[in-house]
């Protein structure tokens, strides 16, 4: 393909868009807040990685790349992108404005590979809550922010369904935070279209009495439709979308575009944005814009460069998108009647009750740390693999001898330890202190091999009881609810063997300090 430069693509920007109106949700549909027209996502997934050298590969900080790609978006005829990985410490004004100028809304994933809920060893703690809040702060001021995605395929098999409890708690706490800032930004979740668990996930993130703990929209990453001969029914798209026919929140196809059969034809768009699905779905986003190692790209680009090479899929997608125009409804004439979902019952494939982890409290964790007589030394680094391994081995032994329930959890029973929301260093210090007190402060009881610890002769808080008021406030719901429904699905299956946190697995979290949920 011929290599073209930004100067050529700048000529394509013949249509200037006024400031985009914020999107709003009513029932199971998105609308333009000012015109009242129904909004359908007609977009691409956007995460150029080639040439990026930073730890967090943030395409919305690449001003050259954004100006290059904004013109391409205009030519493609898209109105939205999804961005998976961004750095809240960087400035995104230029890129967000460039995209707004060509009529493009942006869906932002809050987690990154270095700051997310780990599906195998999940926790929702004070550190993660703070990271998520900072991401919200970084993007909440843009007109063309379509919404936040709180998790992408975090639970992706029946073996890790407990992680969903922590994702749902994060939805509750981030929505609460957004409202406290007097903002209205939808927060959604995305699944991986796994047959064994998809129905449970779809119900779970839209069930319960607390609206803050329910997702505002739901995304599906699906690659069912493969090849030019596939149809709406033969691909299984009809089965994929059917659970959403009476869903009370919008559903977006957040990834699609199977590449196992080449060339891609993108015929599924005619269903997603046509008569088959336009009354149920809110559109979708093609995976993905840039050519990376997985061979899904529409173009070849490099971070910081204005050069671009269009691939064959670019024109194919452009032509298909130009052929679809979903009808939609006006917000004023739309009267939704769908109800929230029933929470899924406990089963072999679903190990989560309706009870949620409590909202993380930095005050409670600080109070707990101030009450300890034995803790990790301040020199301990949670990013040091050698220290984490040594700590994990020692703590596993300790928790085999004493109860560590205050820093662990059971998602089936809905039991969450009083300090389970503290960060991994704080939870580890709690365990060391409990062991120290169990040995009545004996000489050497605070020592760990290869880990520096400290004995505190005069703790700032005289006892853990001084933290009781803070914990009572949390459990009463002042800092977030811990239960999301009047019906506890755990009771429906009391004979099932409950998921109990394995202590060795619990301390593996110290070995994986950053949960990867991609």
């Amino acid at each position: 393909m011929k290599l073209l430069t930004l100067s050529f693509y700048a000529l394509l920007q013949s249509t200037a868009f006024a400031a985009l109106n914020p999107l709003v949700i009513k029932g199971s549909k998105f609308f333009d807040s000012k015109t009242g027209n129904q909004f359908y996502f007609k977009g691409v997934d956007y995460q150029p990685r080639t040439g990026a050298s930073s730890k967090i590969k943030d395409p919305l900080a690449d001003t050259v790349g954004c100006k290059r790609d904004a013109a391409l978006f205009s030519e493609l005829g898209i109105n939205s992108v999804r961005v998976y990985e961004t750095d809240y410490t960087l400035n995104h004004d230029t890129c967000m404005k460039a995209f707004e100028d060509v009529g493009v809304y942006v869906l932002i994933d809050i987690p990154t590979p270095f700051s997310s809920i780990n599906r195998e060893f999940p926790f929702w703690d004070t550190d993660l809550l703070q990271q998520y809040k900072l991401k919200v702060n970084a993007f909440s001021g843009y007109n063309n922010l379509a919404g936040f995605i709180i998790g992408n395929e975090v639970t992706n098999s029946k073996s890790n369904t407990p992680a969903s409890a922590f994702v749902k708690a994060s939805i509750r706490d981030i929505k609460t935070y957004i409202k406290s800032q007097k903002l209205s930004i939808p927060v959604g979740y995305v699944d991986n279209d796994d047959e064994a668990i998809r129905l449970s996930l779809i119900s779970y993130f839209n069930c319960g009495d607390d609206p803050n703990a329910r997702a505002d929209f739901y995304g599906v990453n699906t690659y069912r439709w493969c090849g030019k001969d596939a149809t709406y029914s033969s691909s299984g798209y009809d089965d994929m979308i059917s659970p959403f026919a009476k869903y009370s929140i919008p559903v977006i196809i957040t990834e699609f575009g199977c590449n196992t059969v080449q060339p891609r034809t993108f015929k599924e768009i005619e269903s997603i944005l046509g008569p088959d699905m336009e009354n149920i779905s809110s559109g979708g986003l093609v995976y993905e814009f840039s050519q990376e190692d997985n061979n899904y790209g529409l173009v070849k680009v490099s971070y910081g460069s204005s050069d671009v090479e269009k691939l064959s899929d670019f024109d194919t997608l452009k032509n298909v998108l130009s052929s679809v125009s979903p009808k939609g409804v006006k917000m004023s004439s739309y009267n939704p009647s769908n109800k929230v979902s029933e929470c899924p019952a406990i089963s072999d494939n679903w190990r989560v009750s309706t009870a949620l982890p409590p909202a993380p409290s930095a005050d409670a964790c600080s109070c707990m740390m101030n009450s300890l007589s034995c803790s990790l030394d301040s020199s301990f680094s949670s990013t040091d693999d050698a220290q984490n391994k040594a700590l994990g081995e020692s703590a596993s032994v300790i928790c085999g001898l004493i109860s560590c329930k205050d820093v662990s959890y059971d998602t089936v029973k809905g039991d969450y330890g009083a300090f389970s929301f503290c960060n991994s260093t704080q939870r580890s210090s709690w365990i060391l202190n409990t062991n120290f007190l169990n040995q009545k402060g004996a000489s050497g009881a605070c020592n760990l091999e290869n880990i520096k610890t400290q004995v505190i002769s005069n703790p700032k808080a005289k006892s853990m009881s001084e933290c009781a008021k803070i914990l009572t406030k949390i459990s009463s719901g002042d800092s977030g609810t811990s239960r999301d429904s009047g019906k506890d699905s755990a009771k429906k299956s009391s004979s099932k063997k409950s998921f109990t946190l394995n202590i060795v697995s619990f301390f593996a979290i110290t070995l994986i300090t950053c949960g990867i949920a991609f």
Side-chain angles (χ1 to χ4, degrees):
M1 292 292 176
K2 185 178 180 181
L3 192 67
L4 301 166
T5 62
L6 180 63
S7 59
F8 174 84
Y9 282 100
L11 298 176
L12 297 174
Q13 253 177 283
S14 58
T15 303
F17 285 77
L20 291 178
N21 300 323
L23 299 178
V24 296
I25 290 174
K26 182 180 181 181
S28 61
K29 304 180 188 301
F30 280 87
F31 294 92
D32 183 304
S33 60
K34 299 294 177 63
T35 68
N37 294 330
Q38 186 176 349
F39 180 85
Y40 290 89
F41 288 85
K42 187 188 288 189
V44 296
D45 296 309
Y46 183 71
Q47 193 70 47
R49 298 178 286 282
T50 300
S53 58
S54 57
K55 182 179 179 181
I56 297 177
K57 297 172 175 56
D58 185 348
L60 298 184
D62 177 11
T63 57
V64 173
C66 289
K67 292 175 181 178
R68 171 199 67 211
D69 297 335
L72 291 167
F73 296 163
S74 181
E75 183 184 0
L76 269 175
I78 65 171
N79 64 8
S80 50
V81 295
R82 175 190 178 185
V83 184
Y84 298 83
E85 190 175 342
T86 52
D87 184 342
Y88 61 76
T89 68
L90 302 179
N91 186 284
H92 304 99
D93 292 352
T94 299
C95 287
M96 292 297 285
K97 182 64 167 61
F99 291 178
E100 183 179 18
D101 286 345
V102 293
V104 169
Y105 288 90
V106 183
L107 282 169
I108 294 288
D109 283 56
I110 291 180
T112 72
F114 311 100
S115 183
S116 59
I117 293 170
N118 184 286
R119 61 171 61 97
E120 302 301 337
F121 312 114
F123 276 91
W124 173 236
D125 62 25
T126 51
D127 287 355
L128 206 50
L129 174 59
Q130 180 62 16
Q131 294 290 310
Y132 282 21
K133 285 181 177 179
L134 291 170
K135 182 66 70 71
V136 169
N137 294 346
F139 287 96
S140 60
Y142 297 114
N143 289 331
N144 56 331
L145 175 68
F148 290 113
I149 293 173
I150 202 83
N152 182 64
E153 304 181 6
V154 182
T155 289
N156 63 0
S157 75
K158 64 182 182 180
S159 67
N160 51 41
T161 59
S164 287
F166 298 90
V167 176
K168 194 165 183 176
S170 72
I171 290 176
R172 176 200 63 207
D173 297 337
I174 289 303
K175 286 178 64 172
T176 298
Y177 176 70
I178 288 172
K179 289 181 179 179
S180 75
Q181 303 302 300
K182 303 192 184 308
L183 298 169
S184 180
I185 304 168
V187 179
Y189 177 74
V190 173
D191 80 20
N192 67 326
D193 196 23
D194 183 279
E195 286 290 351
I197 57 173
R198 65 184 302 264
L199 294 180
S200 294
L201 285 168
I202 291 167
S203 297
Y204 183 68
F205 283 101
N206 187 41
C207 79
D209 300 329
D210 181 4
N212 278 350
R214 299 195 298 263
D216 294 317
F217 64 90
Y218 197 85
V220 180
N221 296 339
T222 183
Y223 295 86
R224 297 181 182 221
W225 194 306
C226 294
K228 63 182 179 62
D229 296 325
T231 66
Y232 179 60
S233 57
S234 71
S235 66
Y237 256 52
D238 52 351
D239 292 331
M240 180 270 294
I241 202 65
S242 62
F244 298 102
K246 295 184 181 299
Y247 212 47
S248 64
I249 59 174
V251 58
I252 307 166
I253 312 305
T254 39
E255 289 181 13
F256 69 91
C258 169
N259 70 349
T260 59
V261 179
Q262 296 284 353
R264 296 197 288 177
T265 62
F266 301 113
K267 290 297 183 183
E268 60 264 54
I269 290 174
E270 296 174 358
S271 285
I272 296 171
L273 293 169
D276 289 331
M277 293 169 58
E278 65 182 351
N279 292 328
I280 302 175
S281 84
S282 291
L285 301 103
V286 171
Y287 191 85
E288 67 178 320
F289 180 73
S290 59
Q291 180 74 329
E292 308 295 340
D293 293 340
N294 52 15
N295 197 35
Y296 280 91
L298 307 175
V299 297
K300 284 185 177 180
V301 293
S302 184
Y303 197 94
S305 171
S306 61
D307 292 338
V308 56
E309 180 185 351
K310 290 193 294 183
L311 304 177
S312 59
D313 280 355
F314 183 94
D315 285 328
T316 303
L317 178 60
K318 173 184 173 181
N319 292 333
V320 175
L321 288 174
S322 68
S323 71
V324 294
S325 181
K327 296 177 181 178
V329 297
K330 292 291 287 188
M331 183 164 59
S332 59
S333 61
Y334 171 58
N335 299 301
S337 59
N338 291 343
K339 308 297 184 183
V340 299
S341 306
E342 287 288 326
C343 291
I346 298 294
S347 69
D348 290 340
N349 286 357
W350 188 256
R351 313 301 292 156
V352 189
S353 76
T354 58
L356 297 181
S361 167
D363 288 342
C365 297
S366 177
C367 181
M368 180 267 285
M369 290 296 291
N370 286 336
S371 73
L372 303 184
S373 299
C374 167
S375 71
L376 292 171
D377 187 75
S378 59
S379 62
F380 176 81
S381 172
S382 62
T383 62
D384 186 306
D385 289 344
Q387 288 191 16
N388 279 322
K389 183 178 180 180
L391 176 61
E393 291 171 350
S394 297
S396 297
V397 173
I398 293 172
C399 285
L401 301 173
I402 64 172
S403 171
C404 292
K405 66 178 183 178
D406 279 357
V407 289
S408 59
Y409 56 80
D410 183 325
T411 61
V412 167
K413 293 180 179 179
D415 293 336
Y416 297 91
F419 300 105
S420 60
F421 52 66
C422 298
N423 66 39
S424 59
T425 300
Q426 293 168 332
R427 296 194 303 266
S428 298
S429 290
W430 181 95
I431 289 170
L432 296 181
N433 183 72
T434 302
N435 180 60
F436 181 74
L437 297 179
N438 191 55
Q439 296 188 46
K440 303 186 186 306
S443 177
C446 190
N447 295 343
L448 286 180
E449 187 175 356
N450 299 321
I451 296 289
K452 192 173 181 180
T453 59
Q454 59 180 340
V455 173
I456 301 98
S457 301
N458 295 297
K460 294 179 181 179
K462 296 304 180 185
S463 71
M464 201 76 77
S465 62
E466 294 188 20
C467 308
K469 288 184 179 180
I470 300 174
L471 294 173
T472 299
K473 184 178 180 181
I474 295 169
S475 63
S476 68
D478 288 354
S479 298
T481 59
S482 60
R483 185 169 296 277
D484 186 37
S485 173
K487 293 184 178 180
D488 191 341
S489 58
K491 296 177 182 177
K492 298 179 182 178
S493 185
S494 59
S495 63
K496 297 285 186 180
K497 183 180 179 182
S498 66
F499 170 87
T500 302
L501 180 68
N502 180 283
I503 293 301
V504 175
S505 296
F506 165 70
F507 278 100
I509 196 68
T510 63
L511 303 179
I512 308 174
T513 57
C514 302
I516 298 177
F518 284 84

